[in-house]
Amino acid sequence: MSEILGSLWWLIISIGVLVTFHEFGHFWVARRCGVKVLRFSVGFGKPLYERTGKDGTVYAIGMIPLGGYVKMLDEREYEITEALAPQAFNRKPVWQRIAIVAAGPVANLILCVAFLWGMFVIGRPDFAPVVGSASGIAAESGLRRGDTLMQIGDRPTPTWSEVQMALIPYALDREDVRVKVRTDNGTEVNRELQLSRLPAAFDERRAVQVIGLGARHELVPAVIGRINPDTAAWGVLAEGDRITALDGEPIPSWNDLPPAVARLGERGGKAMIEVVRNGDRLALEIAPKRMQRETGEKFWGLGVLPATPQPPRRDAVLRYGPIQALPAALGESAHQARELFAMIGRAFTGRVSLQNTVAGPVTIGRAANAYANNGPAWYLQLLAMLSLSLGILNLLPIPILDGGHLLYYLIELVKGSPVSERVMAAGHFVGLALIASLMGLAFYNDILNNLVR
């Protein structure tokens, strides 16, 4: 399946699951409160499927799979008979209306916990949190290659994904953070990662790289894929050779080769390069040559290019037993909810770019396709985060969203009477403008981040 078709497919599946559960929350509580539900629709527009249940509710799947709705009996929309009046939403006590409206976001929060529980039980394959390279702020803070990052602040980091998720909030706030490290000799120490030294502006999507941290699994093996003619390596090395040392200096990855070659070139003369060829260890004499890049920059080089690396093997799994997974899922949901509110606050105060905060359907579809291809546990994690985001977004006090309706009902509780229709109409106008602006920003970010490259 191509990336485009895969992204479209997983977008429809993801949105369908989340919207169905959200609307089912409204539907289920409305029925428990005695409200007559006229229509339960997943998607908007012309129905692709429609049937009327024994309860009189019309169940439908709309042509546009980017939302859904539950239509309830309400005499503010049209006249109803006195016999049906007790089943009208607007006739219900305010506490029941609050429960019905809040049920959708609450359903998404419950779904988030359930998805995370499933992820923990299945086990999410990942990479060990081992540093492969450290430069810049990371190196100056005392981190070294081979260090295992055990904890960032108060958050344990059993995998590299947890390292990334834990570091990003501190990086965005330019806040120094304590890092618990196990060095390659087994000693456990604490380091102070000096994130207050980050530049005023940087690409938030590359925060870990800007800090100067590289993962062990990201290192490219020092295996030769091609040798350019008339270079230092021509006639000496062979394609497929794995370089292990140069002039007595170990070369564990391709990233270590250029600086070692530069040091040898500046020193001058020949040196021994050690390689593994067809299982045999060889020591060969070589001398770097002065070369020139297309930009005109000169450098010391051997004239070799790396082989295409194999995908790295995942060497860690984030997993709990069924019982332990429940508190872990609850804790992770609470943590992600706090981080989401914090991110909303950063966006409103301008501390983080809206370009990297608001995602549209293209971005969500691409992410869903990528996570689904990584396995069920990864996809469950994405669904959990999307469900949490949908629930919290709907709780924002914006008219036409669930949070806006809850605001009206809270005002009604305080003042003892419903908000006037004039105020509600004005609120709906403002809410539509805000949602339209948010959707416009999401589509703009999609175009900027995915289509214009």
Side-chain angles (χ1 to χ4, degrees), residues 373-396:
N373 288 335
N374 278 334
W378 280 94
Y379 184 57
L380 286 176
Q381 181 183 28
L382 178 69
L383 285 178
M385 296 304 99
L386 290 176
S387 188
L388 178 66
S389 299
L390 181 60
I392 290 178
L393 176 65
N394 270 280
L395 285 175
L396 294 178

Side-chain angles (χ1 to χ4, degrees), residues 7 31 36 44 67 121 155 253 300 363 385 389 410:
S7 298
R31 294 286 298 273
K36 182 175 179 59
F44 299 109
V121 171
R155 185 170 172 80
S253 74
W300 290 102
T363 301
M385 296 304 99
S389 299
L410 290 175

Side-chain angles (χ1 to χ4, degrees), residues 301-325:
L302 301 180
V304 293
L305 295 175
T308 302
Q310 295 294 322
R313 183 180 60 85
R314 299 182 186 273
D315 53 359
V317 178
L318 182 62
R319 178 185 286 129
Y320 295 101
I323 296 176
Q324 295 88 348

Side-chain angles (χ1 to χ4, degrees), residues 148-396:
T148 300
L149 306 180
M150 303 173 63
Q151 187 170 314
I152 308 290
D154 296 326
R155 185 170 172 80
T157 52
T159 71
W160 189 260
S161 294
E162 270 62 45
V163 169
Q164 293 176 305
M165 288 189 290
L167 280 177
I168 288 174
Y170 291 102
L172 295 177
D173 294 335
R174 275 74 171 177
E175 181 182 342
D176 294 344
V177 60
R178 180 181 57 83
V179 180
K180 186 177 181 180
V181 171
R182 184 173 63 242
T183 64
D184 56 2
N185 62 11
T187 305
E188 293 187 5
V189 295
N190 290 321
R191 306 290 189 204
E192 188 79 7
L193 195 54
Q194 300 168 8
L195 302 184
S196 57
R197 298 175 54 191
L198 281 167
F202 64 90
D203 186 350
E204 294 101 347
R205 294 168 297 183
R206 300 185 63 256
V208 176
Q209 289 83 358
V210 175
I211 293 169
L213 271 181
R216 181 179 64 183
H217 65 271
E218 295 171 342
L219 294 176
V220 177
V223 177
I224 298 173
R226 194 179 80 189
I227 301 174
N228 293 326
D230 302 323
T231 60
W234 186 256
V236 178
L237 302 177
E239 294 180 3
D241 284 354
R242 179 166 62 86
I243 302 172
T244 59
L246 177 62
D247 196 23
E249 181 179 344
I251 307 294
S253 74
W254 194 271
N255 296 353
D256 300 291
L257 184 59
V261 171
R263 286 190 289 271
L264 177 58
E266 292 297 333
R267 193 199 70 187
K270 296 181 178 182
M272 303 305 294
I273 185 168
E274 299 174 34
V275 301
V276 175
R277 180 183 299 171
N278 298 324
D280 297 324
R281 290 187 169 274
L282 304 176
L284 308 168
E285 197 173 59
I286 199 168
K289 289 185 179 180
R290 199 69 171 160
M291 304 177 69
Q292 184 171 309
R293 295 188 174 92
E294 293 180 358
T295 59
E297 179 187 1
K298 292 187 177 182
F299 67 101
W300 290 102
L302 301 180
V304 293
L305 295 175
T308 302
Q310 295 294 322
R313 183 180 60 85
R314 299 182 186 273
D315 53 359
V317 178
L318 182 62
R319 178 185 286 129
Y320 295 101
I323 296 176
Q324 295 88 348
L326 182 57
L330 289 168
E332 183 65 14
S333 298
H335 173 79
Q336 293 300 333
R338 290 193 298 270
E339 290 301 324
L340 185 54
F341 278 116
M343 188 64 73
I344 293 172
R346 294 185 189 102
F348 275 108
T349 57
R351 286 182 293 158
V352 65
S353 171
L354 288 174
Q355 177 183 339
N356 300 324
T357 306
V358 181
V362 176
T363 301
I364 294 173
R366 286 170 59 92
N369 185 48
Y371 275 67
N373 288 335
N374 278 334
W378 280 94
Y379 184 57
L380 286 176
Q381 181 183 28
L382 178 69
L383 285 178
M385 296 304 99
L386 290 176
S387 188
L388 178 66
S389 299
L390 181 60
I392 290 178
L393 176 65
N394 270 280
L395 285 175
L396 294 178

